[in-house]
Amino acid sequence: GATDDEDMKQECAMAITRLAMDVSCCEKIIQQGAISAIVAMARSGFEDVATGRMCAAALRQLCIAGQEHELIEKTVLTDAVKALVNLISKDAPTNQVCAQTLCTLFQQPSAVDGMIKLGALDAVVKLAATGARDDAGTGNWCALAMYNLSVHAAFVIEMLVRGAQQALVTLCDLDDAATAAPGAAVSIRRKCAAALWNMTRTDDARIDAALLIPALIALLRHESDTIVKGDAAAALYNLAFDAANCQRMLKEGALQPIVSLSRSGSVTTKIQCGAILSRLSFQSSDPELKRAMLSAEFIASLLELARLDHRATQQRAIFAIVNLTYERGAHALLLGAGGGGGAGGGLAVGSGAAA
């Protein structure tokens, strides 16, 4: 009966999984059509969710071992990707295994175009945007898959077209308390912030600044992990090349968290923050927003950046200070920040800076 068929499928999938764990056996069973057998099993449908889990587990082991040892032909890989996409359901354990396998296969650049056409990226985005918020394991694999793709400029456009921006923003909002493993949510946010940094390097019109800027600013405000904050700042820097984006950042309240990060982050993060602050000082034509920059902390951060042992940052900080001198309210703040040596003492940056 149906139950006997389900039991047989499960036993076969389990046996194939065990054999695939042995490299010497893995090559032989792939050559004998093990992947095609699991694909056929997955396509035939099943009544017991455990059957789907075991098919997914078998495909994971076969694909990972097969890719590592270059044992999978292109046609077989195509069938495997189709089966993985079809196996995705409401079952969290199955989805996690499918996400892991797709993530692993995405690490082979030559296979990515074909996988995207077969719906692999759509499946990852869908998982990230829905069920992954309740399943940190699936969320982690989805975030890693999208990060791996974002490293290659050729795949970023496909990510933009297929909704990866929204999926990454959704994963950034994962609640730490909702994850079973300590640090799981932070690990996911690190991958997402890095992916957004990579994606915002393109000037494609499909970059959704209205979506990304508030999400990146929220990371600066609420994130405790300095790596996540640094990558969020780097993504904002990429977006700050556009004047309208600078206006949006200031209206969304980006100034204060960027200033704070510039005074507490790593050297790399300080450099990134200095670049953003300089761009904001150049591109803000709104008098009200310009006045928002007139704070002792903002000017103190610029003076600190002007002393950083990094020539480009010194130049940017000085340019930002020069821009502020056009505002009357900045004069007293600059003089006060100069300490005993006056404003000139505050701006002394050493021989490495531009004149």
Side-chain angles (χ1 to χ4, degrees):
T3 302
D4 291 337
D5 288 342
E6 292 290 308
D7 288 344
M8 184 172 64
K9 288 178 180 178
Q10 291 174 21
E11 292 297 328
C12 288
M14 190 179 299
I16 290 173
T17 302
R18 288 171 179 160
L19 289 171
M21 290 179 180
D22 184 328
V23 176
S24 61
C25 290
C26 185
E27 182 174 4
K28 292 182 176 65
I29 63 174
I30 286 177
Q31 290 172 347
Q32 293 297 317
I35 292 179
S36 298
I38 294 294
V39 168
M41 198 183 304
R43 284 178 174 171
S44 67
F46 40 83
E47 298 176 2
D48 188 345
V49 69
T51 305
R53 292 178 184 177
M54 291 182 181
C55 286
L59 281 173
R60 174 182 60 187
Q61 192 60 40
L62 288 166
C63 288
I64 290 175
Q67 183 191 53
E68 183 179 349
H69 299 284
E70 299 180 349
L71 305 174
I72 306 178
E73 296 179 5
K74 187 174 181 179
T75 53
V76 176
L77 177 62
T78 296
D79 289 339
V81 171
K82 287 181 180 177
L84 287 164
V85 171
N86 290 333
L87 280 169
I88 292 172
S89 64
K90 294 181 179 179
D91 182 59
T94 299
N95 292 345
Q96 184 172 331
V97 171
C98 290
Q100 179 187 2
T101 311
L102 291 173
C103 174
T104 302
L105 294 175
F106 272 139
Q107 294 177 32
Q108 183 179 334
S110 62
V112 171
D113 280 331
M115 289 179 64
I116 290 175
K117 290 175 183 176
L118 293 169
L121 178 54
D122 291 329
V124 167
V125 167
K126 182 179 179 180
L127 282 176
T130 54
R133 288 196 62 176
D134 303 316
D135 176 15
T138 300
N140 180 67
W141 289 115
C142 290
L144 181 57
M146 287 187 282
Y147 168 74
N148 287 337
L149 291 179
S150 75
V151 171
H152 304 277
F155 304 138
V156 168
I157 301 302
E158 288 288 353
M159 295 178 71
L160 294 173
V161 169
R162 297 174 187 275
Q165 292 177 98
Q166 180 62 66
L168 289 164
V169 167
T170 298
L171 286 174
C172 282
D173 199 32
L174 191 67
D175 186 359
D176 296 75
T179 60
V186 171
S187 177
I188 290 171
R189 288 196 293 273
R190 282 187 177 186
K191 298 177 181 73
C192 291
L196 290 173
W197 178 13
N198 289 334
M199 292 176 70
T200 52
R201 291 175 181 175
T202 180
D203 58 359
D204 191 276
R206 282 164 288 204
I207 288 289
D208 189 351
L211 167 71
L212 297 184
I213 287 173
L216 292 167
I217 293 172
L219 289 176
L220 294 187
R221 281 185 179 142
H222 307 300
E223 180 59 57
S224 59
D225 185 77
T226 56
I227 294 175
V228 174
K229 282 186 166 184
D231 287 347
L236 285 171
Y237 167 68
N238 291 338
L239 295 172
F241 280 85
D242 181 84
N245 288 344
C246 288
Q247 295 288 322
R248 183 177 283 117
M249 287 179 202
L250 288 167
K251 289 177 180 177
E252 291 284 347
L255 190 61
Q256 182 56 47
I258 294 172
V259 167
S260 297
L261 186 60
S262 75
R263 306 189 73 184
S264 61
S266 66
V267 171
T268 299
T269 301
K270 288 177 186 289
I271 291 169
Q272 292 162 342
C273 289
I276 301 171
L277 294 176
S278 179
R279 289 201 169 276
L280 293 178
S281 76
F282 271 102
Q283 307 216 32
S284 176
S285 57
D286 186 324
E288 183 179 344
L289 296 175
K290 198 82 163 185
R291 284 193 293 272
M293 299 182 185
L294 303 182
S295 71
E297 185 181 9
F298 180 37
I299 290 175
S301 73
L302 292 178
L303 293 173
E304 289 175 11
L305 290 168
R307 300 186 192 101
L308 192 69
D309 188 16
H310 185 264
R311 183 183 177 85
T313 300
Q314 291 175 352
Q315 292 174 323
R316 289 166 181 157
I318 292 171
F319 291 151
I321 292 168
V322 169
N323 288 337
L324 288 181
T325 61
Y326 289 98
E327 300 295 324
R328 285 180 176 272
H331 298 173
L333 290 170
L334 284 167
L335 290 170
L347 291 171
V349 295
S351 59

